[in-house]
Amino acid sequence: MTTIFKHRLFWPAAILVVLLVINMFTSNQFVTIRDGHLFGTLIDILRGSAPLVLVALGMTLVIATGGIDLSVGSVMAISGAVACLLISDLGDQNAVGPVLLIMGIAIAVSLVMGLWNGALVAMIGIQPIIATLILMVAGRGIAQLITDGQIINVQSRPYATIASGFFLTLPVAFLVAAAAVALILLLTRRTALGLLLESVGGSPTASRLAGIGARRLTIMVYVLSGGFAGLAGLIYSANIKSADSIAAGNLIELDAILAVVIGGTALIGGRFSIAGTVLGAVLIQALGVTVVAIGVPSDLTLLFKAVVVVALCLSQSPTFRAKVFGRFKARPVGAEVPA
């Protein structure tokens, strides 16, 4: 049990269980089957966490190399804007082939955005926070140029499926995120890629001297981050059936970084946990749903979430636990009590 308590993911998992238990008692339907599909609060949490899981996956890989990507929210906005603009121009918005092609185009644009970030960081040498801040600011403007400053509405059933559809009783958005997680786990834990990323994050110079293509790996993770953000943007815009360049992905980069930190990934690079990131993203979504379920006033929602997050981060700190719980350890008989 001591080993379990000391595991870095124990407390996030414990708090997630507590949140789910609270929702079991506060929601009318926690999990139920309707029309052959699973519905309920738990399914809403899994479906709602899909965009954040995707963005956090890319963020994890970037942070593992010692970088940061602040542009993911803007890339989401660009991806949704491109998709909705092209779909709105279709003669038949319910044509599956053209819609899939347009989704591929939107993701390709997102990959190019990631390539831009990677080139600025790895080839030109700009600090990651500055390089991605450029696209974070400019990306919103690009998205608004694409949509001409308007909210573009679409009525495409194939496009909406990626956000609100079901397959094998499970939400398609959740299955897409799960497939992405499985792919990254396979690449980072069943090949040498994970070790190479940790090497680059630990010491880019030493990695380069050891023959590791640090620049290529750095560019690759930013491209992946852009691609995952673009996919998340498609899910977001398909969910609301429109392209909202201002609201799409707004501040999601902060939630993604928080999910990465909760999952145990070191912000200085060199160590990362995909499973921890997924757990952190689902926990953040569950916390948002729980806040509404227990009736926390809207003006106190952010403060409530901040308190929970601070408590969680403190519980994960070995130094904090040692200082707090060490005071309650039994002292040997006759031992002097410090003044």
Side-chain angles (χ1 to χ4, degrees):
M1 292 299 294
T2 302
T3 304
I4 295 176
F5 288 149
K6 289 183 178 180
H7 196 280
R8 66 177 183 272
L9 297 183
F10 170 77
W11 290 106
I15 292 181
L16 177 59
V17 170
V18 170
L19 294 175
L20 294 178
V21 170
I22 292 174
N23 280 278
M24 287 181 62
F25 291 99
T26 56
S27 61
N28 295 328
Q29 294 180 336
F30 186 68
V31 179
T32 186
I33 298 179
R34 186 194 312 161
D35 298 329
H37 303 310
L38 291 174
F39 285 91
T41 303
L42 177 60
I43 303 304
D44 290 339
I45 291 174
L46 294 178
R47 178 168 51 191
S49 64
L52 180 56
V53 168
L54 290 169
V55 172
L57 274 180
M59 188 71 73
T60 301
L61 299 179
V62 170
I63 291 178
T65 62
I68 198 78
D69 190 352
L70 300 180
S71 67
V72 287
S74 295
V75 174
M76 283 182 61
I78 294 174
S79 175
V82 170
C84 289
L85 177 65
L86 295 179
I87 290 175
S88 66
D89 290 335
L90 289 177
D92 181 9
Q93 295 189 13
N94 293 318
V96 177
V99 170
L100 290 177
L101 177 61
I102 288 171
M103 291 170 62
I105 293 173
I107 293 178
V109 172
S110 302
L111 293 174
V112 172
M113 296 295 101
L115 179 62
W116 166 264
N117 285 333
L120 290 181
V121 174
M123 299 179 66
I124 300 180
I126 300 177
Q127 288 293 325
I129 192 171
I130 301 300
T132 57
L133 183 63
I134 294 172
L135 185 56
M136 176 186 178
V137 176
R140 293 286 173 185
I142 294 174
Q144 291 188 47
L145 285 175
I146 293 174
T147 61
D148 201 19
Q150 304 297 319
I151 295 179
I152 300 178
N153 298 312
V154 295
Q155 299 296 328
S156 173
R157 288 192 299 273
Y159 188 56
T161 299
I162 192 176
S164 56
F166 286 84
F167 181 72
L168 298 177
T169 74
L170 293 173
V172 173
F174 167 74
L175 294 176
V176 170
V181 171
L183 175 62
I184 295 301
L185 282 174
L186 181 64
L187 291 176
T188 58
R189 298 311 180 195
R190 296 299 181 182
T191 70
L193 180 60
L195 180 60
L196 295 177
L197 292 178
E198 292 177 340
S199 298
V200 172
S203 177
T205 303
S207 299
R208 187 166 56 253
L209 294 176
I212 298 175
R215 289 183 177 177
R216 290 195 299 272
L217 286 173
T218 300
I219 293 175
M220 181 197 70
V221 295
Y222 280 100
V223 171
L224 287 175
S225 180
F228 283 134
L231 184 54
L234 294 181
I235 294 176
Y236 178 88
S237 61
N239 186 47
I240 63 176
K241 298 180 180 179
S242 63
D244 189 342
S245 303
I246 297 177
N250 186 35
L251 299 181
I252 197 173
E253 57 274 359
L254 302 183
D255 281 343
I257 294 172
L258 180 58
V260 171
V261 172
I262 290 175
T265 296
L267 283 178
I268 59 174
R271 186 188 76 225
F272 68 96
S273 171
I274 299 299
T277 293
V278 174
L279 178 61
V282 176
L283 189 154
I284 291 173
Q285 179 65 24
L287 180 58
V289 172
T290 305
V291 166
V292 177
I294 63 179
V296 174
S298 58
D299 54 341
L300 296 178
T301 297
L302 295 178
L303 178 60
F304 179 84
K305 291 177 65 175
V307 170
V308 174
V309 169
V310 169
L312 173 61
C313 292
L314 290 177
S315 68
Q316 286 183 288
S317 170
T319 303
F320 178 81
R321 292 200 303 267
K323 288 184 178 181
V324 173
F325 296 108
R327 298 176 181 273
F328 301 98
K329 291 182 178 179
R331 299 180 181 278
V333 178
E336 294 183 1
V337 178

